[in-house]
Amino acid sequence: GVKPYNILILFFSLAYMAITLDITGVLQAAAFWVSNKGGSHGYKLYFYFYVLLTVLSIFLGNDPVILSGTAFLVYYTKVTELNPTSWLMSEFAAANTASMVLFVGNPTNVVICEGFSVNNAAFTAYTILPFLGCITICLVALGVQFRKSKYIPRRLAVTEDLDVRSVLLDPIGACVGGALLGSCLVVIIIVSFFHVDVWKISLPFAVSKFVYDIAWDHYRWAKDIPMLGQSPKRKASDDTDSTLREDIPLEHKAEAVVPHRDASKDMLVEVVDRPDSSTRARSGTHPPTLPQSHVIVDEPNTMSSKSLIGRLRSRYIAKHAKLATHYPTFFTALPRLPFALVPFAFSQFILIEGLAHQGWIEVFSVWLVRASNKQMHPIIWLIGVLGVILCNCAGTNIGATILLTKIVRAAALEDAQNRAAAIALAVASNIGAVSFTFSASLAGLLWKQILEQKGIFIRQGTFAYWNTLPLVVMTGVGLGIVSAEMGVLYK
């Protein structure tokens, strides 16, 4: 019953709406607001950030939160002279754990709902209690292992509040985007009772948001209203170093608000400053650091006029730069869409279909039946623990979810056992991202890439070391709650 196109269209539609909402600056503004509320109290601020990231991840999914939250925390921990380890690990754990609540929070949730025919609203009803248990025990585990003051100090070196309005680049776009995304989620949950494919709902909402973005950017361009912090009508000849606002502009926007202080901490992460980082910190200025697609450039003078390829490339760059300044919302969101998910997801489906064709899925399903004796609670723990383990070695949590879904369906279990396996797999596929390898999830690979771009390199062993305790306790608590739920529902 799993339809790859259904999953991908749904995920891309929601990703576009979430990313364009983030571009307005609303997530950064929320982070600044929470920072001001926490003040200089270390434990209070740590808790506030944990709650904020959890709430945002529930409604937006983990990828948009990791995109913006990671950039903010890297900057914030640097200017306040904090060890980034505890803050970044809590962000990663909160974002991935919270994505189990709504079926749209993670592609694995959509696979489970499609594969086990779980109603979208029922999915949330089943996972809300395991989520509450996991997110709470995870915070406790993080507090225990980061109890030393070098990770979470009692007092922070914060002298002034952050300017929330400075990072809210498009208040009108934030309101419209939030309304469309919220309405889409509500409508999807309602129509799920009528067995309508969810992509038929999410796609029109995404198209509506795209039309709004184009129309709103064109209106601001025509009226000469600043867009994303820049005046829209800029010529390449005005200033060859002029750039559009970066799609994750947190540290650049916050730099003008909070005085920068260089930090040197003894930590289990290797922090490497860029060659010009100290100069920027003292001067408060930033050289162009945007991707080429966001930079306004002159036509290369050195390129031969006789070179057809050169002329075409020059025209393409000039045209792309012109469109990017005219429609900055779409052209900022475009490179952030999860295009890598398309070949990855299809390759996982193809590989697992190949296993099924060769008869391995039937073999695995026989092993599952023998190991569990078709009893509900053994099935919950077998699928849950296997799900967490396979996230690390079966092609991320997406591959693990597809594989285990096929195995459980091939086992021909009763409805109660099928439902129990589905919810156990939902818990495992989300908390399994908080695991021993970065490749346990696409979010982990994205998180690692962002940190390396910011000059922070977390070793694989360090990542596994700090995730072990939260993962173990979340697995025990989450699957224990699922067992209790199913024991009550299917007496």
Side-chain angles (χ1 to χ4, degrees):
V2 178
K3 304 172 184 176
Y5 69 87
N6 192 354
I7 297 169
L8 292 174
I9 294 175
L10 169 67
F11 195 68
F12 267 83
S13 301
L14 294 172
Y16 178 79
M17 288 188 283
I19 290 170
T20 52
L21 179 63
D22 176 31
I23 290 170
T24 65
V26 66
L27 271 67
Q28 296 94 318
F32 276 35
W33 181 80
V34 167
S35 176
N36 292 339
K37 290 295 182 181
S40 61
H41 299 279
Y43 288 110
K44 181 191 292 185
L45 186 61
Y46 190 81
F47 174 74
Y48 283 177
F49 272 128
Y50 188 82
V51 173
L52 171 67
L53 294 167
T54 298
V55 173
L56 291 176
S57 299
I58 289 174
F59 296 102
L60 300 180
N62 53 5
D63 288 344
V65 173
I66 285 177
L67 276 169
S68 288
T70 304
F72 174 79
L73 287 175
V74 168
Y75 168 73
Y76 187 83
T77 54
K78 188 172 185 179
V79 299
T80 53
E81 300 182 357
L82 291 170
N83 187 322
T85 307
S86 56
W87 304 81
L88 291 172
M89 297 305 298
S90 69
E91 175 226 6
F92 187 76
N96 285 285
T97 303
S99 61
M100 78 169 72
V101 177
L102 294 179
F103 82 102
V104 294
N106 195 321
T108 62
N109 299 347
V110 184
V111 172
I112 292 167
C113 288
E114 291 282 335
F116 290 96
S117 301
V118 179
N119 181 276
N120 300 334
F123 180 87
T124 299
Y126 284 121
T127 58
I128 189 66
L129 289 180
F131 154 73
L132 291 174
C134 288
I135 204 71
T136 302
I137 197 65
C138 181
L139 178 60
V140 173
L142 290 170
V144 169
Q145 64 183 13
F146 293 124
R147 61 188 179 276
K148 295 182 179 179
S149 59
K150 72 174 183 177
Y151 296 116
I152 309 176
R154 293 182 178 273
R155 306 292 297 182
L156 304 180
V158 176
T159 58
E160 55 187 279
D161 285 346
L162 301 175
D163 185 0
V164 176
R165 291 184 178 274
S166 68
V167 293
L168 187 57
L169 303 178
D170 185 7
I172 296 177
C175 293
V176 174
L180 282 174
L181 181 59
S183 301
C184 178
L185 294 176
V186 171
V187 173
I188 284 176
I189 291 174
I190 293 174
V191 301
S192 66
F193 291 100
F194 303 98
H195 306 290
V196 177
D197 286 341
V198 290
W199 71 267
K200 296 179 181 178
I201 306 300
S202 63
L203 183 60
F205 274 95
V207 171
S208 300
K209 184 60 169 63
F210 168 76
V211 172
Y212 167 80
D213 291 336
I214 297 299
W216 178 231
D217 283 351
H218 178 71
Y219 173 81
R220 290 185 291 178
W221 171 270
K223 298 296 183 180
D224 202 16
I225 301 173
M227 295 185 288
L228 300 184
Q230 292 285 344
S231 177
K233 296 183 179 179
R234 298 178 64 91
K235 303 295 183 182
S237 59
D238 293 343
D239 185 358
T240 56
D241 290 334
S242 298
T243 62
L244 291 177
R245 186 69 69 127
E246 188 178 357
D247 56 355
I248 312 176
L250 285 169
E251 63 263 41
H252 296 282
K253 289 180 286 187
E255 188 88 19
V257 184
V258 180
H260 194 292
R261 290 186 292 274
D262 289 330
S264 178
K265 290 290 183 180
D266 181 19
M267 59 191 74
L268 285 178
V269 294
E270 180 183 356
V271 181
V272 180
D273 289 335
R274 299 304 184 193
D276 60 339
S277 61
S278 60
T279 303
R280 293 200 308 269
R282 290 191 295 269
S283 64
T285 60
H286 300 270
T289 58
L290 297 180
Q292 175 130 4
S293 60
H294 296 282
V295 180
I296 302 175
V297 297
D298 291 328
E299 185 173 346
N301 295 325
T302 59
M303 187 172 292
S304 173
S305 59
K306 297 181 180 180
S307 172
L308 177 61
I309 296 177
R311 291 198 303 270
L312 291 176
R313 180 177 180 274
S314 178
R315 290 176 183 176
Y316 168 77
I317 293 174
K319 185 66 175 178
H320 187 277
K322 182 179 179 180
L323 290 173
T325 55
H326 197 150
Y327 306 106
T329 302
F330 173 73
F331 280 90
T332 302
L334 186 62
R336 292 175 57 179
L337 288 172
F339 292 108
L341 181 64
V342 178
F344 182 83
F346 273 109
S347 66
Q348 293 297 316
F349 279 109
I350 292 171
L351 287 171
I352 293 170
E353 284 298 324
L355 288 176
H357 182 72
Q358 295 296 325
W360 281 106
I361 297 297
E362 291 294 334
V363 173
F364 295 150
S365 66
V366 171
W367 291 356
L368 174 63
V369 170
R370 290 177 179 175
S372 65
N373 198 26
K374 289 193 174 183
Q375 298 298 308
M376 179 185 296
H377 298 292
I379 288 174
I380 290 173
W381 287 92
L382 281 170
I383 295 298
V385 173
L386 281 173
V388 170
I389 295 172
L390 288 175
C391 285
N392 294 274
C393 56
T396 76
N397 52 357
I398 297 176
T401 301
I402 298 172
L403 176 61
L404 289 175
T405 298
K406 297 282 287 185
I407 292 172
V408 173
R409 297 297 292 171
L413 303 174
E414 297 180 358
D415 290 342
Q417 282 74 30
N418 263 331
R419 186 56 52 92
I423 306 308
L425 183 55
V427 173
S429 64
N430 284 276
I431 65 173
V434 189
S435 201
F436 309 114
T437 63
F438 295 110
S439 60
S441 67
L442 292 178
L445 298 173
L446 174 65
W447 185 74
K448 179 175 181 286
Q449 180 183 14
I450 294 173
L451 290 180
E452 290 179 350
Q453 291 171 354
K454 302 298 180 183
I456 295 181
F457 296 85
I458 297 183
R459 299 186 295 271
Q460 183 68 73
T462 302
F463 182 77
Y465 175 81
W466 291 119
N467 278 337
T468 298
L469 179 59
L471 178 63
V472 170
V473 296
M474 283 197 294
T475 301
V477 171
L479 296 181
I481 294 176
V482 173
S483 293
E485 274 187 339
M486 297 301 153
V488 171
L489 293 173
Y490 299 100
K491 290 182 180 179

